[in-house]
Amino acid sequence: MFGEFLSSHLEAPASTYRVGRRRLLGLGAFALATGWALTEAIVSFPGAVPISPTTAAVGLWAVLFAAVGAVALTQTPDYVRFSQPLLLWAVLNTVAFLVTGAAVLGYLPAGLVVYAYWHVWVLVAVIGFAATGVLLERSGPSGQHYFTAAGLEVSLLFIGLGAFPELVPGLYLLLAFVHPTPLALDAYPGDLGAGPDAAIQLALYATGLGLVLVL
């Protein structure tokens, strides 16, 4: 396995083993929900921050991802920090940050800048959720809730590209719900459930929230 290769060939920082898989997933879900909710607040009330809203939002996400990444790297056991899903998300998030950073620094063509912020992150989520679902299905647990989340993220990407512009002002609130939910379902399976039933619930909740935003 690629994760086993890395764990045996890379000299990673010593881990305290204080944070297990579920606690890391819970932390990730909290960071995602907080990040998108605060992004919505920054976009809705740009005068509330002393700097550019774009800079504030990018800085917020940089802090959140750095914090979660630091915990994953230094506080989790090797089977977690070198797992295929975590490595996959590390690569995807790094690529997305490079694209967003290039836009902030003015290195992207003007026509692409508009897609370099939340669009690229939703695209990353589509790829990441779908791939995570496949990895889970191969190893035994159900990945249906990740597949459902990937489908919902595709819908959000479609919305953001202009198909339903009336939803865009509340789009970050939808992301604050859809993005962390699969992680929360994995982190607290006994309380929230997992598998097809949870996937259906996720779809229904997201649809309901979308209707609320429209109305």
Side-chain angles (χ1 to χ4, degrees):
M1 302 291 286
F2 184 60
E4 294 175 352
F5 173 83
L6 287 180
S7 63
S8 61
H9 288 77
L10 291 181
E11 187 174 342
S15 174
T16 64
Y17 296 90
R18 293 177 180 173
V19 179
R21 175 179 175 274
R22 289 185 178 179
R23 290 183 66 184
L24 181 63
L25 287 169
L27 176 63
F30 174 78
L32 288 170
T34 301
W36 287 120
L38 289 178
T39 300
E40 177 70 32
I42 291 171
V43 171
S44 300
F45 306 100
V49 291
I51 57 178
S52 160
T54 299
T55 302
V58 172
L60 165 68
W61 282 105
V63 170
L64 289 173
F65 276 111
V68 175
V71 171
L73 189 61
T74 65
Q75 305 293 317
T76 63
D78 287 349
Y79 79 89
V80 173
R81 60 178 176 171
F82 291 115
S83 64
Q84 286 184 316
L86 197 61
L87 293 173
L88 167 72
W89 282 103
V91 171
L92 290 174
N93 288 334
T94 299
V95 170
F97 257 118
L98 289 175
V99 173
T100 302
V104 172
L105 296 174
Y107 292 127
L108 282 187
L112 296 179
V113 170
V114 67
Y115 304 111
Y117 297 106
W118 73 265
H119 291 84
V120 70
W121 289 98
V122 173
L123 179 60
V124 159
V126 171
I127 298 171
F129 284 146
T132 301
V134 170
L135 291 173
L136 286 179
E137 292 285 340
R138 287 180 177 177
S139 61
S142 173
Q144 288 300 313
H145 48 304
Y146 283 101
F147 292 138
T148 303
L152 290 172
E153 295 277 357
V154 170
S155 300
L156 293 177
L157 189 61
F158 184 60
I159 290 169
L161 290 174
F164 303 102
E166 65 272 15
L167 277 179
V168 172
L171 188 61
Y172 298 113
L173 292 181
L174 278 173
L175 289 172
F177 176 81
V178 175
H179 224 138
T181 298
L183 280 71
L185 289 172
D186 263 0
Y188 308 104
D191 299 319
L192 302 178
D197 290 341
I200 294 172
Q201 291 175 4
L202 172 59
L204 291 175
Y205 291 155
T207 301
L209 183 57
L211 291 175
V212 169
L213 291 174
V214 172
L215 299 176

